[in-house]
Amino acid sequence: MKRWGILIIVFSIILASCGKDNNSKASSNQFPNETVEIVAPASPGGGWDTTARAIQKIMMDENLTKQNINVINKPGGGGEIGWQYLKTRSPNTISINSSLLLSNNELGLSDLSTDDLTPIAILATEWISLTASNKSNLSSGKEVMEKLKDDPESLTIGVAPGLGNNDHLAFVQAAKAYGVDVDKIDFLVYKSGGDLQTALLGGHVDVASTSVSEVKEQHQIGKLKILAVTSDEPVEGIEEVPTWKEQGVDVVFPHWRGVMGPKDMTPEQIAYWDKTMKKVVKSKSWQKIRKNNDWQNFYKDSKESKEFLEDQRKKYKGLVKDSGMK
């Protein structure tokens, strides 16, 4: 009996040990299995940083992971430094992205492409406006295009902070669609959106291509006039402004933001981020942040994002060529 008792005790210890090993193994297989990093490829305070910190807060508030969540700012190179950093990280790290990933590659400023990373989601978009100085006496986007078609150098068009970005290429697409000789357009480049707005208010440029959020308030109080928007339907708060399509110019141009991960993520890891990002964009906190920043809902899951980015890559290839910057 004593011998049987010893055997039972030994057997129990072995079972407990196996159970512990199995539980440990199950725990190590959980994802994310280490601190989550959200890369903002810019300095604190901008749109990418705002997006990253919004995701961080919502993931914490909604208990979407048991891991710690850190926002990592990696400014420089129009997103390049942050995205190169992401490329070296584990699937526990994601980064905010935008169309600069595409235009940087097409302009030869980066060797990174969508093939080097894993699309996870497109979260939201800003729409781009064509806005006129009150001193220009312009009344519509179509009128701007008519003048430029007759004489491409008849108007000055302001953009910031450089050529090749969304604001510039959105205008290139609209002008090209209307039959304007894009190579002859007189673009004036400003260092920031604030500088561009000052130039508009002072009448130093006739029109500017810039995000709706940067000029919406000035339009509403009558100091500037938004002539057209790149959305597919009127923008909330400025419903009186016609879209390009409503003015006979076949252009819809989103200024989107999304998230992506490093290359070669497993289907299970992608599924986790899919589920997480869907919960983020459905949360009340995200809806509030989105409205406060004049972002429009533009959610696409990982599969839809991959298809969307492939289409966008073709589009940007053509636009960069049309702009004469290739």
Side-chain angles (χ1 to χ4, degrees), residues 49-110:
D49 181 68
T50 299
T51 307
R53 294 184 190 280
I55 294 171
Q56 177 195 38
K57 184 177 186 307
I58 293 166
M59 285 184 68
M60 292 170 65
D61 291 348
E62 303 287 330
N63 295 316
L64 300 182
T65 179
K66 294 180 180 179
Q67 302 295 334
N68 293 326
I69 308 171
N70 295 331
V71 170
I72 308 294
N73 290 93
K74 293 284 182 179
E80 174 75 1
I81 291 176
W83 296 329
Q84 290 285 1
Y85 172 79
L86 172 68
K87 190 178 175 183
T88 68
R89 305 299 291 169
S90 77
N92 294 273
T93 300
I94 59 172
S95 175
I96 310 304
N97 66 6
S98 78
S99 58
L100 279 178
L101 177 68
L102 307 176
S103 57
N104 285 353
N105 182 263
E106 290 300 329
L107 290 167
L109 302 175
S110 171

Side-chain angles (χ1 to χ4, degrees), residues 291-326:
K291 289 181 179 179
N292 287 344
N293 287 278
D294 282 315
W295 301 341
Q296 305 297 311
N297 184 41
F298 204 63
Y299 175 71
K300 299 180 187 301
D301 64 19
S302 60
K303 182 181 178 182
E304 293 166 332
S305 294
K306 185 176 180 180
E307 294 169 354
F308 174 75
L309 290 176
E310 287 172 355
D311 289 340
Q312 289 283 292
R313 185 161 63 173
K314 294 174 186 175
K315 172 181 172 179
Y316 273 77
K317 188 179 186 69
L319 286 174
V320 168
K321 182 179 179 181
D322 290 342
S323 72
M325 296 183 68
K326 187 70 173 175

Side-chain angles (χ1 to χ4, degrees), residues 38 61 110 125 135 164 180 184 262 268 270 302 326:
I38 305 174
D61 291 348
S110 171
T125 186
K135 294 182 180 182
V180 176
K184 295 180 180 179
E268 292 76 19
I270 295 172
S302 60
K326 187 70 173 175

Side-chain angles (χ1 to χ4, degrees), residues 118-187:
T118 301
I120 292 171
I122 305 295
L123 301 174
T125 186
E126 286 186 272
W127 297 107
I128 298 169
S129 74
L130 179 67
T131 302
S133 162
N134 284 345
K135 294 182 180 182
S136 70
N137 296 315
L138 295 164
S139 59
S140 71
K142 185 175 181 180
E143 182 184 359
V144 169
M145 292 304 168
E146 282 290 341
K147 285 181 178 294
L148 292 174
K149 193 171 183 178
D150 290 340
D151 179 4
E153 298 178 344
S154 61
L155 298 172
T156 54
I157 295 91
V159 294
L163 299 179
N165 65 1
N166 285 289
D167 298 340
H168 172 232
L169 294 180
F171 189 86
V172 167
Q173 185 179 12
K176 188 77 175 179
Y178 205 80
V180 176
D181 188 346
V182 177
D183 289 338
K184 295 180 180 179
I185 292 178
D186 185 13
F187 286 103

Side-chain angles (χ1 to χ4, degrees), residues 168-209:
H168 172 232
L169 294 180
F171 189 86
V172 167
Q173 185 179 12
K176 188 77 175 179
Y178 205 80
V180 176
D181 188 346
V182 177
D183 289 338
K184 295 180 180 179
I185 292 178
D186 185 13
F187 286 103
L188 291 181
V189 180
Y190 290 83
K191 290 182 179 180
S192 69
D195 290 339
L196 177 55
Q197 187 180 119
T198 299
L200 259 182
L201 289 167
H204 304 302
V205 290
D206 296 309
V207 293
S209 183

